[in-house]
Amino acid sequence: MRLSELKIGEKAIVVKVLGRGAFRKRIIEMGFVRGQEVIAELNAPLRDPIKFKIMDYEVSLRRSEANLIEVVTEEETSSVVYPTSHGTTTEESTYAHAAEVRAKTINIALVGNPNCGKTSLFNVASGANEHVGNYSGVTVDAKAGHFDYKGYRINIFDLPGTYSLSTYTPEELYVRRYLNTEMPDVIVNVVVASNLERNLYLTTELIDMDYSMVVALNMYDELQKSGAKLDYKLLGDMVGVPMVPTVSRTGKGIDELFDTVIDVYERRNKSVRHVHVNHGPVIEAAVNDIKERLRTSHVALKYSPRYLALKMLEGDKEVMEMVSDSENFEELKALSNKLRAEIEQTLHEDIEQAVANEKYGFISGALQETFQQGKDDERNLTRVIDSLVTNKVVGIPIFVILMCLMFEATFVLGAYPMEWIETGVAMLSSWLHDVMSPGPLKDLLIDGIIGGVGGVIVFLPNILILYLFISFMEDSGYMARAAFIMDKAMHKIGLHGKSFIPLVMGFGCNVPAIMATRSIESRSSRLITILINPFISCSARLPVYILFIGTFFPKHVGWAFIILYLSGIAVAFITAKLLRRFYFKEDETPFVMELPPYRIPTFKATCRHMWNKAEQYLRKMGGIILVASVIVWALSYYPRTDIEGEMTPQQLAEQQTNSYMGQIGQAISPVLEPLGFNWKISVALISGTAAKELIVSTLGVLYAGGDDTPETLSAKLQQPDPSTGVADFTPLIAATFLIFVSLYVPCIASITAVAKEAGSWKWGLFSVLYNTLIAWLCAFIVFRIGLLFM
C-alpha cells in the first residue's frame, strides 16, 4: 500500500520510494529508506498534509508526496510467504522480512514503437498468449502479466506501441498517463536494433522524463544478419541507459535483459546516469529558466522539472493542466508563451520542430560513434516485394486473389475435417438414440445438446483455417500494405488507409477490431470505422455461411463467399460515405503509417494464435452455446402434448408450433414474413443476437427431433416441413437468409464494444437499429427480385 493510505496511529515499514530526481533524493535523506518504521500521527484540519514519525523525529508530507512511498503494514505481513526459520521470529524481524519481500517486487512497463516486438517479449517473459501482429495497433490496452525470476516477483505491463509521448494519438496519451500515474519501477524501452535512429527518438523522451530504464535492442539477429555492427555498451554509457541485445521471437537475451533490470532497480548498474539531451543553447536557456521557477511547485516533486519545462514550452495542454494548481501558474504560463515566441523568432521554426531536430541530432551523433551500417539486404528484399504487392496495376488484384484464396481454402480444406467431425457427431447421436430409453433426458441430450452444440462444433476446422490466413497476413507485414493500397479507396468514403486494418481484423472478430480503432487519430474517422465494422463478416458468421452455402450452393462456393463478404463491405462503405456526408465534418488527418519490413511468421506464433482462437471457440461451445441450446430445446419441448411413444413427424411439427418457442416465433414472424422466413427462422435470428454461432445451434435443435436416422443438419434443412409439405429453405430463401445474417444486428459483445469505444450507448443503439433496418431492406430486395426469376 501507499503511505498516504496509512490510518492515524497505524505503523508500517518503508518498502520503496517511487518518485524520481530531487524528490527521491530529498525523501531518502529524510530517512524514508527500505526497512524503516514509520507511524502516521496526525492529519491537518483539512486532512492534508499528514504528520509522520520516523527515526524518532516528526515530518510533514502532503498526501501527494506520501502517495509516492510504498509501505507494508502489520496486516499485510500475513499475506507474505516466509521461508522456513529455525530461529526466533520477533515482530521487528517479521516486519523487516515483509518489507524485504515486498521490495523484491519489480513493476516493469514495456514501452516502444509499434512493431518493435514488445508483445513478443511480453509473451516470452510472462508466458502470456497475447497476439502479435506486424503492424501498428495490435496492443490497444495495457496487458498485465507476472513471473518469478531469481528471487524477484516481476510484474510486467505491455503498453500500446507509440512513436513519441506527445498527445497526438490515443496511444501516446495513454502511455504517458500510465507512466505518470502508475510510476513503474523500471521501464524496458524496446527498440528495433536494425532501425535505431527512428526508434531512439522515444528513448530521448523517456530520458527527459527521468525514469529508471533499460533498452532492449530487439530483433538483434536482423542487425547482425545485415552485417551492421553496434557497440551497444558504449552507446548505453553515452546516453546513461544500459542496453541489452534481445531476440524476443526466440527468447535469446531475455535472461540478460532481466538481470540488467534487477541491477538497475537495485541501483548497482554503472551505466545508469541522468543525461540531459542537449537541445541547443537557445532552447536550453529557456528550459532552465522555466525549470528554476518550477522547483517551488509540488508537481516538480512528482515529475521531472526538465520534462515539464520542455512540454510547457511546446504548449502541451496535458502538462499545462498538471501545473495549473501551482501558486505561480499564471507567471509560468506567461513566461513559457513569451519564451516560445522568442525561440521561434530566433530559430525561424516552430518549437516542436526545433526540439525534434535537436533530439535527432543527439541520436545521430551517438550513433556515429557506435554504429556501423551493414549491407541492408532485408530492406532491399522489402523494396522488391513492395514493388509487386503495392504496384498500382497488380497490387489490388493480388489483394483480391489473396482474399478469394482465403475463403476458398476455408471451405475446401476445412470440408475434410469438418466431415469427420460431422460423422462423429452423427454416430454419437445415433448411438445414444439406440441405447437410451425414450424420455425428456434422451431428447435433451440428442436434440438439445448434440443437435445444438454438435451443429456448431463441426465448423472448428474452418475457423482455424481462416485465422491461419489472417495471422499470416498480420505477422508477415502484408496487412500494413493492404492498408496502403486501399488508402485511396478509403479516402473516397471519407476515411483513410489506417481505418482499413480494423476492418480486415473484423474478418476474425468484430470486438478486437472495434477496439483496434483506438490507433486512429481522428475522432470522426474512429467513430465511423467503429460503426461500419459490424458489417464486416466475422468468423462467428462463418458456420452459418458454410452450412447454407454448402447445402444450397455447393457448385458456387467461392463466388457465394465473395458475394457475401463484398456485400458487407459495400454496405459498410456506403454507410461511411453517408455518415461523412451528413453527420461528421470532413477529416483532414494525414495518413501516416509505418510499413514494417517483411518477416516470415514463426510456426510457434502462428500455432499459438490458432490455438487461442480454437480455445475461445471451444469455450463458447461449452458456455453460451451449450446454455442457449438447452434453453431453446426446453422452450421448443414444452408445453408437452400428451402423446404416448415416439411422435410422428406431423405430430412433432404441431408440438413445436404450439411450444413456447413456437409462440415466440409466431409473435415476431410477421416482421420477417415479407422476407420468406417462417417462425423457426425468426427464432434462430433472434438467438443470433447473443452470438452468431447460436443461429446454427438453434436450427440444429429445432430441426433435430423426430428422426431416427443420423442425418446431418444440412440434409434436414432441405426436407419438406411435415405440416406444409414444402421445405422451409429453398435456394432463394437461403440466399435471403444469408444476406440478412451478414448485415443485421451485431452480437451483444460487439454492441458493448461499439458503445464503449464510441463513448456513448446511443451509438450502440444506433448500431442495433440501423444495421437491422439495412439488413431487412437488402434481404427484402433480394427476395422480391428472386421471386421474379424463380
Side-chain angles (χ1 to χ4, degrees):
M1 67 182 293
R2 301 294 173 87
L3 184 59
S4 58
E5 301 171 46
L6 207 63
K7 297 175 183 176
I8 300 303
E10 195 174 12
K11 64 180 179 180
I13 296 292
V14 176
V15 174
K16 65 177 80 164
V17 179
L18 301 176
R20 62 185 69 81
F23 168 76
R24 179 183 172 81
K25 186 173 183 296
R26 191 188 80 177
I27 211 75
I28 289 175
E29 288 171 349
M30 293 171 68
F32 287 88
V33 293
R34 186 189 303 174
Q36 278 295 335
E37 184 181 87
V38 59
I39 303 173
E41 290 200 327
L42 182 68
N43 278 325
L46 297 179
R47 293 185 52 79
D48 201 9
I50 311 170
K51 185 172 75 171
F52 296 99
K53 184 177 181 180
I54 187 169
M55 298 178 76
D56 291 328
Y57 78 97
E58 296 173 342
V59 61
S60 173
L61 293 177
R62 291 192 184 97
R63 284 190 178 273
S64 59
E65 296 169 352
N67 193 51
L68 299 176
I69 302 171
E70 191 174 321
V71 297
V72 60
T73 63
E74 183 178 7
E75 185 180 349
E76 288 180 307
T77 59
S78 60
S79 65
V80 178
V81 179
Y82 300 97
T84 304
S85 174
H86 301 289
T88 304
T89 302
T90 64
E91 183 181 2
E92 288 76 14
S93 64
T94 300
Y95 258 136
H97 179 67
E100 189 67 28
V101 171
R102 288 293 173 90
K104 286 186 176 290
T105 298
I106 308 176
N107 296 313
I108 295 175
L110 298 180
V111 181
N113 290 180
N115 306 318
C116 68
K118 286 185 298 80
T119 305
S120 293
L121 195 153
F122 175 82
N123 287 340
V124 169
S126 66
N129 291 317
E130 293 301 330
H131 176 50
V132 181
N134 189 13
Y135 63 94
S136 64
V138 174
T139 307
V140 292
D141 211 337
K143 306 294 189 300
H146 63 84
F147 60 98
D148 295 322
Y149 183 76
K150 294 189 176 179
Y152 290 82
R153 165 56 63 95
I154 296 180
N155 298 320
I156 186 167
F157 301 88
D158 178 22
L159 301 184
T162 177
Y163 293 106
S164 72
L165 294 176
S166 64
T167 55
Y168 182 62
T169 68
E171 294 100 329
E172 292 170 348
L173 191 57
Y174 182 96
V175 171
R176 197 167 81 175
R177 285 178 177 172
Y178 183 93
L179 296 178
N180 285 334
T181 56
E182 299 300 324
M183 289 177 292
D185 297 313
V186 180
I187 290 175
V188 173
N189 176 209
V190 185
V191 305
V192 179
S194 58
N195 193 1
L196 287 173
E197 190 164 8
R198 205 281 314 284
N199 278 246
L200 288 176
Y201 183 85
L202 178 60
T203 309
T204 63
E205 292 204 306
L206 293 169
I207 289 172
D208 288 337
M209 296 181 81
D210 195 16
Y211 279 103
S212 295
M213 184 165 56
V214 177
V215 170
L217 297 167
N218 203 28
M219 306 179 197
Y220 200 76
D221 55 334
E222 294 181 3
L223 180 143
Q224 292 176 316
K225 195 185 299 182
S226 71
K229 294 180 181 178
L230 174 68
D231 188 342
Y232 58 85
K233 180 70 172 64
L234 176 58
L235 180 60
D237 290 340
M238 290 174 67
V239 301
V241 181
M243 299 190 174
V244 182
T246 61
V247 184
S248 57
R249 214 163 17 93
T250 62
K252 185 177 180 181
I254 302 299
D255 286 349
E256 291 82 354
L257 175 66
F258 289 108
D259 287 340
T260 307
V261 166
I262 291 171
D263 285 345
V264 169
Y265 173 73
E266 296 292 0
R267 304 191 180 276
R268 56 182 183 232
N269 189 288
K270 295 179 180 178
S271 295
V272 175
R273 62 192 179 96
H274 184 57
V275 174
H276 285 175
V277 178
N278 195 305
H279 296 91
V282 176
I283 296 176
E284 286 297 323
V287 167
N288 291 330
D289 202 352
I290 297 174
K291 190 171 72 172
E292 287 304 313
R293 287 170 171 77
L294 269 171
R295 290 193 185 279
T296 58
S297 171
H298 71 276
V299 181
L301 296 175
K302 189 174 181 181
Y303 308 106
S304 163
R306 180 177 174 81
Y307 163 74
L308 294 174
L310 266 170
K311 289 300 176 183
M312 288 186 74
L313 275 176
E314 294 176 0
D316 190 289
K317 292 180 181 179
E318 184 101 350
V319 168
M320 285 295 190
E321 191 174 329
M322 288 163 54
V323 183
S324 61
D325 59 349
S326 302
E327 293 179 3
N328 60 341
F329 173 65
E330 291 302 326
E331 178 192 347
L332 284 167
K333 184 178 178 181
L335 177 63
S336 59
N337 289 338
K338 172 177 170 288
L339 292 173
R340 179 166 61 252
E342 291 176 357
I343 290 171
E344 292 179 348
Q345 187 176 11
T346 303
L347 299 179
H348 303 292
E349 60 182 348
D350 62 77
I351 184 69
E352 290 87 355
Q353 182 66 47
V355 169
N357 286 343
E358 295 296 342
K359 286 186 182 298
Y360 277 117
F362 172 85
I363 294 166
S364 179
L367 291 178
Q368 275 189 348
E369 296 187 40
T370 58
F371 181 70
Q372 183 179 330
Q373 187 69 51
K375 54 189 177 183
D376 211 11
D377 285 343
E378 184 185 82
R379 291 185 182 276
N380 293 332
L381 178 62
T382 295
R383 291 190 192 99
V384 170
I385 299 174
D386 274 348
S387 66
L388 181 65
V389 300
T390 64
N391 185 276
K392 64 180 181 180
V393 176
V394 299
I396 292 179
I398 288 174
F399 174 71
V400 172
I401 290 170
L402 285 175
M403 292 293 105
C404 293
L405 179 64
M406 178 174 75
F407 298 133
E408 188 75 21
T410 298
F411 187 89
V412 176
L413 296 181
Y416 298 102
M418 174 185 166
E419 188 178 334
W420 303 333
I421 299 174
E422 203 170 43
T423 302
V425 169
M427 289 174 63
L428 176 61
S429 178
S430 179
W431 177 74
L432 286 175
H433 191 279
D434 293 338
V435 301
M436 292 188 71
S437 301
L441 178 60
K442 177 181 178 181
D443 293 339
L444 170 62
L445 288 175
I446 296 175
D447 299 339
I449 296 176
I450 296 178
V453 176
V456 180
I457 201 170
V458 298
F459 301 105
L460 177 60
N462 309 90
I463 301 291
L464 291 178
I465 293 170
L466 176 68
Y467 272 105
L468 171 66
F469 276 86
I470 293 175
S471 177
F472 182 84
M473 287 194 294
E474 290 176 352
D475 296 350
S476 65
Y478 178 75
M479 195 72 84
R481 272 71 185 182
F484 175 79
I485 62 177
M486 292 301 294
D487 179 55
K488 189 170 183 179
M490 299 297 288
H491 186 71
K492 289 185 179 298
I493 62 171
L495 300 174
H496 56 62
K498 207 166 186 179
S499 295
F500 186 69
I501 286 179
L503 297 180
V504 176
M505 288 177 68
F507 289 134
C509 180
N510 293 137
V511 176
I514 290 168
M515 294 172 66
T517 59
R518 296 178 192 175
S519 63
I520 301 171
E521 294 85 359
S522 164
R523 173 164 171 77
S524 63
S525 291
R526 190 161 66 248
L527 268 174
I528 293 173
T529 309
I530 288 170
L531 294 174
I532 67 175
N533 205 289
F535 287 119
I536 304 302
S537 291
C538 63
S539 61
R541 295 179 176 99
L542 195 61
V544 185
Y545 294 172
I546 293 171
L547 173 64
F548 281 87
I549 290 173
T551 302
F552 296 98
F553 311 104
K555 296 181 180 179
H556 308 286
V557 170
W559 282 110
F561 267 105
I562 291 298
I563 289 170
L564 276 176
Y565 279 89
L566 287 181
S567 297
I569 293 170
V571 171
F573 281 16
I574 293 169
T575 300
K577 186 72 174 176
L578 292 173
L579 287 170
R580 180 63 77 189
R581 176 82 178 271
F582 296 107
Y583 190 83
F584 295 103
K585 296 178 181 178
E586 280 299 316
D587 180 19
E588 298 300 330
T589 305
F591 173 51
V592 181
M593 184 176 177
E594 180 186 6
L595 295 178
Y598 290 100
R599 296 188 176 99
I600 299 175
T602 63
F603 179 75
K604 181 179 178 181
T606 303
C607 289
R608 183 167 56 194
H609 186 203
M610 290 174 63
W611 169 245
N612 286 345
K613 297 306 173 184
E615 190 177 27
Q616 291 174 20
Y617 195 69
L618 292 173
R619 282 180 180 173
K620 195 181 281 188
M621 297 301 102
I624 185 173
I625 290 177
L626 174 61
V627 173
S629 297
V630 172
I631 293 172
V632 169
W633 172 85
L635 291 174
S636 63
Y637 194 79
Y638 296 104
R640 201 71 183 147
T641 305
D642 189 17
I643 298 175
E644 295 183 4
E646 295 280 351
M647 289 187 182
T648 64
Q650 289 79 7
Q651 290 172 329
L652 178 65
E654 185 179 347
Q655 152 67 30
Q656 284 189 332
T657 303
N658 296 325
S659 68
Y660 297 125
M661 185 61 77
Q663 294 172 38
I664 295 171
Q666 290 170 64
I668 61 175
S669 61
V671 179
L672 297 173
E673 277 180 359
L675 310 180
F677 301 163
N678 67 0
W679 72 264
K680 290 184 181 180
I681 302 174
S682 301
V683 166
L685 291 170
I686 293 296
S687 68
T689 59
K692 290 298 178 280
E693 297 97 337
L694 286 176
I695 294 173
V696 175
S697 67
T698 301
L699 292 173
V701 172
L702 294 176
Y703 287 90
D707 198 342
D708 293 349
T709 59
E711 287 184 323
T712 64
L713 177 57
S714 177
K716 290 176 180 178
L717 292 177
Q718 299 176 78
Q719 292 176 350
D721 188 307
S723 60
T724 64
V726 180
D728 291 343
F729 286 98
T730 63
L732 175 57
I733 294 176
T736 307
F737 182 74
L738 286 171
I739 288 293
F740 191 90
V741 169
S742 70
L743 300 175
Y744 88 123
V745 55
C747 67
I748 291 174
S750 294
I751 296 169
T752 304
V754 167
K756 181 181 177 184
E757 297 302 320
S760 172
W761 275 99
K762 74 175 183 180
W763 293 115
L765 181 62
F766 170 84
S767 191
V768 171
L769 298 176
Y770 178 79
N771 289 37
T772 305
L773 176 62
I774 290 297
W776 195 96
L777 289 172
C778 292
F780 181 80
I781 292 169
V782 169
F783 184 65
R784 292 299 157 182
I785 292 176
L787 286 177
L788 298 176
F789 299 97
M790 299 177 68

